[in-house]
Amino acid sequence: MARGPRASRSAQYAWLITGPLAVFATVTAAYFWVEDPKWYTYWPWGLLALVGVCSAYVGVFSVVVRRTTFGIVVAEVPFLLALYYLPPTMVILVSAAAVALTTVIRSAVIVPTKMWFNVAKSAAGFAAAVLVIAALPEIHGAGPGTWGILATAMLVEFGVELVCFAGVMASVQGLRAAQDTFRNAVAPLATSAINIVIGLVFLVALVATSWSAVLLSVLVAALILMLRSFSEFFRQHRTLADVYELTKAVREQGSDDSSLPDVLLDRVRTLMRSEYATLWLAPQGRHPEVLLTARVENKGLLDLSPTPAAVRERAITGGRTVAVGPAFSQTADLRTALREARIKDAVVVPLRSGQTTIGSLEVLNRLGDPRSFRDADVQVLETIATHAAVAVENSRLVERLRYDAYHDRLTALPNRRRITDALAESVKVRAEDDVVGVLLFDVDGQRDVNESMGHAAGDKLLAEVAERLRGIAGPGALVGRIGGDEFVVTLRAESTDATVRLATEMREQLRGPMTVGTLTLDVDTAVGVAVYPDHGSDPEMLIQRAELAANAAKVLPYGVQLFHPALESRAVRRLGIAADLRKALDDDELDVYFQPKVTLADRHLVGVECLARWTHAAHGEVAPEDFVAVAEHTGQLSRLTERVLSEGLRRCREWAEADRPLSIAVNLSVRTLLDSRFPDQVEQLLDRYAVAPAQVTFEISEPGMLGDIERVLPTLYRLRDLGVRLSVDDFGTGASSLSYLRQWPVHEVKIDDSFVQGMATDSGDLAIVRAVISLSREFGLTVVAEGVESELTLDLLEEMGCEIGQGYLFSRPLPYERLEAWFSAQTEPESTPTGEVRRLRAVI
């Protein structure tokens, strides 16, 4: 909603017109002064003419014809007589003085630029008129020749003033305003012509006999009384009609509280004929304070009010209308406050909702006739205020219902419906170089907070996340909550890459400790990104695809994933294989592959990592992350883990019986570690297969362990007490520091392959690997590097002191039969003080 006048150039541009007009009038007056040095001897008649012109300017009669108000000004009559009887210099001075005096009398606030332009315009118009009279034949008597000369002079004066006014409008408000001035000049021209005719009638009568002035005075007085009665009748009729139209407009305004001031204030100011009309609404709940004013000189609304605080305070505290002015003696004590604020009179009506005052409707500085507010005006304003108060209350009720329908009650953020609607509007406006990004933030660990500390603590956590998102989102972004622990940010960005960068930056800013009650929690998020138009134009589809990306981001070290079609097909595929996975476990259709682990110093084969693989009858080979995720969500993870561990232990015993002992490593999910029965299950399997606990290593992903470290630590200690080895897998991808290694009961650190594969070309990855190896050895931990795929990487790791390597340089994951063939082809026995081991013949 606009809150100010249209953009225009400074009013100071009016001086570009005022200056030349003043010079022209001054030069003309000086010229005629020289021509007639005794002009000032006509001062009594000049004073009489000044009184007549001022009376004509002040005594404007308003006539309503078919709901259109016409202002009747008869200033042409005294001016025409002045042109006939007075010297030219006196006429110019009278015209200028009349405008100046009228402005002082009628205006509560004088605008110097406007006043001096009007003075110069009037003086220049009559300067042109006296020049026309001087140029035409000399006036004799009051015959038709005189009529023509005076009428021509008055029309020239009208034309000059019209052109001057159009010129200043063009300078200040533009050419269109000047064109509107010329288009609206027909009615004033017709009125001026009628007044010229009336003035000529007066002139003929006065020239015929000066006694006609008596009759003319009586006629003028009678006309004034008649016109005033006529004007008052139509004023009352117009007031009733305007009140009806205003209340109708307020009622039709409906539930849009923000548009009420636009509908109300200009109409109230016009109806009450005041310089100011103000609406003040007190702050209430989500509704901020409203203070807007319509002023006669401004096209828009101003966010200020000249109403003295003492006047408004009395109306609000007393709950009654307060009217201050000459007609209201009961509030004489407040007139001092009005004078200090340069206000003539004021009426303040409180807006009430039941017994509560919610604001006020105020009018200040009565304009026109009568010169001050009266009791009838107070009654009209009270009627309007009653309707306005009902409109405000209704609009706030509707707005509250609408707000609740589109916002989340816990966080006060837009809900899924609001986000969807806003996203639908955003995708309609496509900028060539912009994309609309949907960033979905999934809060990790919120369910755990609910379970361990109660839902009240979980709600506080979500409220804190919402507050942080509000703070880090840009000014053009919309932040909302669409689910239990899911938040969405929609925004415009330069490109898809820029959107992903923003998501990464926001995730980093969102991370960090959050205080919930007496505890401080480290909260992390996974962020999914979808963009329009690359990933669709339907809002629901964009949000759904951002959710898919967020689910995929949970297993990524950096926690941000851009949607790609494979994620959608994978989600559909996962849904389809849930039932098949149970059958595969029942029928023992899952295979276990083994990937060798080799010591880097002497190339001894020391163990294998056991990895589950599944070839689906219809879908072919299923990615491990897909069926592991399905197992987690369908409660089959424990069976899957047992299948891999049992197969690994069986092969471990067979290798030991064949005099080539190899340790095994099995990946564990954090969900498995949360099962308190798992250590007992491990102990039973170790006993069943007669495998020493030291031959088994459990690898736990660092990012997953960080989210539930307090809950998994008891299980980790129980496993350590059994004698099995524990390894931190994917180290470096989580948010932990190396100091955590001293607190966790682990024996081994496994450096993530993303760092190992990049260390040969990236100095940053190289520095990370070097630091992990150095500090891990300081802590007495074995270091395993996964992802070894080149001899250069192998040499670098060996130089740094890394002990064990695993990767495609040695071997891919192999089924048991192919692993046996690999043993025969790629390794050879070697005797050591601890027994016989297998050694790689060569690395190809």
Side-chain angles (χ1 to χ4, degrees), residues 286 397 399-416 418 459-460 462-463 466 470 480-484 487:
R286 290 189 301 270
L397 175 60
E399 194 277 336
R400 185 159 54 248
L401 295 174
R402 183 185 294 118
Y403 183 91
D404 291 342
Y406 283 93
H407 288 79
D408 173 55
R409 288 196 174 188
L410 174 63
T411 62
L413 291 176
N415 59 15
R416 191 182 195 97
R418 175 71 182 90
D459 290 346
K460 289 181 181 179
L462 292 174
R470 280 196 195 99
R481 180 187 177 210
I482 63 169
F487 295 83

Side-chain angles (χ1 to χ4, degrees), residues 86-97:
L86 297 179
T89 303
M90 182 67 74
V91 172
I92 296 173
L93 292 178
V94 167
S95 66

Side-chain angles (χ1 to χ4, degrees), residues 503-511 524-525 527 558-560:
T504 304
E505 293 172 2
M506 291 177 66
R507 177 178 178 269
E508 289 301 319
Q509 295 177 45
L510 189 61
R511 294 173 67 181
D524 199 0
T525 56
V527 188
Y558 42 85
V560 178

